Amino acid sequence: ETGVTQTPRHLVMGMTNKKSLKCEQHLGHNAMYWYKQSAKKPLELMFVYSLEERVENNSVPSRFSPECPNSSHLFLHLHTLQPEDSALYLCASSQDVGQGAYNEQFFGPGTRLTVL
Amino acid sequence: TQLLEQSPQFLSIQEGENLTVYCNSSSVFSSLQWYRQEPGEGPVLLVTVVTGGEVKKLKRLTFQFGDARKDSSLHITAAQPGDTGLYLCAGDGETSGSRLTFGEGTQLTVNP
């Protein structure tokens, strides 16, 4: 496997379910990100991890819970989501959290989430 | 809050035509990145521009960073159906550190 992989690619869940999204990067990067992409909206940054430590949490509801066990893996745990949470969830990695070339994002293919 | 406005939002052209996509802000960015996203996939980085006035070429794509580092443009010459996709610009604020600000994107369709 190369680049950034995400599983599952598609997920349908009810509002009372608990599910997890998984992301793995094979690039040796130090930073990993979760983004939410909704129709007609800019990409929304949700969480940033640098060397397994969370460095940014952009007022994301607590029903989204990230976990970064090591610098290659990132999870997003989902619990009691709402229909408006339906979106494409993208994972990305970058060399570091610095500026310029350091934070060029390498994205995974995303998980298309539908909340019923 | 830094905002990036992209225009046009949608563009449908015929193969062989030229086009320009714009990315504008009232904020200064230390660098700006362009990505292309195809259906069912994540965005893929095309280029990063860092210096005001910088021009970078990638085959038929020409990227320019404004002198004041507040805007950027992407020009495609002789567009091909393979250029179809969502083009996103993302700015790296001078003090934003880890956070990139993304524009809403320009959806380009090149018809054969």
Side-chain angles (χ1 to χ4, degrees):
Chain A
E1 289 278 17
T2 58
V4 180
T5 57
Q6 288 186 245
T7 55
R9 294 293 306 273
H10 300 272
L11 179 62
V12 179
M13 59 187 289
M15 288 191 284
T16 57
N17 291 158
K18 286 185 183 179
K19 295 286 184 184
S20 295
L21 309 185
K22 179 183 176 183
C23 175
E24 185 173 358
Q25 60 99 357
H26 309 267
L27 301 168
H29 288 165
N30 293 325
M32 296 189 76
Y33 309 76
W34 279 116
Y35 288 90
K36 177 183 179 182
Q37 188 174 35
S38 306
K40 300 182 181 179
K41 282 186 168 183
L43 275 172
E44 299 173 53
L45 178 64
M46 300 175 73
F47 301 104
V48 182
Y49 277 83
S50 174
L51 296 171
E52 303 134 53
E53 285 193 22
R54 191 188 308 181
V55 297
E56 190 152 345
N57 173 359
N58 290 329
S59 302
V60 179
S62 60
R63 57 186 183 269
F64 294 92
S65 174
E67 178 190 359
C68 188
N70 55 63
S71 59
S72 298
H73 293 85
L74 186 64
F75 295 89
L76 187 62
H77 303 299
L78 314 172
H79 177 48
T80 59
L81 295 192
Q82 303 298 311
E84 60 263 30
D85 296 322
S86 298
L88 182 68
Y89 288 84
L90 290 162
C91 173
S93 70
S94 68
Q95 184 177 341
D96 275 300
V97 293
Q99 292 186 314
Y102 290 104
N103 71 353
E104 290 174 344
Q105 311 279 287
F106 291 77
F107 287 89
T111 295
R112 174 66 63 186
L113 174 67
T114 303
V115 182
L116 301 176
Chain B
T1 303
Q2 297 175 311
L3 293 174
L4 275 170
E5 293 184 357
Q6 287 189 241
S7 61
Q9 283 191 318
F10 299 94
L11 189 55
S12 181
I13 61 172
Q14 293 300 120
E15 183 176 0
E17 292 183 4
N18 302 332
L19 67 115
T20 302
V21 173
Y22 300 93
C23 178
N24 296 299
S25 177
S26 58
S27 302
V28 176
F29 292 98
S30 63
S31 66
L32 201 135
Q33 301 167 11
W34 284 93
Y35 294 81
R36 180 171 66 212
Q37 184 176 18
E38 298 184 19
E41 299 297 330
V44 174
L45 178 69
L46 296 174
V47 78
T48 300
V49 285
V50 179
T51 307
E54 181 177 6
V55 177
K56 279 193 175 178
K57 291 192 175 184
L58 187 66
K59 296 183 181 179
R60 294 175 293 98
L61 279 61
T62 302
F63 304 85
Q64 184 161 7
F65 202 11
D67 291 340
R69 291 186 286 128
K70 293 182 178 181
D71 55 86
S72 181
S73 63
L74 157 60
H75 182 78
I76 301 179
T77 304
Q80 299 177 1
D83 296 326
T84 293
L86 179 68
Y87 287 82
L88 298 164
C89 64
D92 190 356
E94 292 192 304
T95 58
S96 64
S98 59
R99 182 192 181 109
L100 286 177
T101 298
F102 280 84
E104 288 185 12
T106 294
Q107 181 62 53
L108 171 66
T109 303
V110 182
N111 302 298

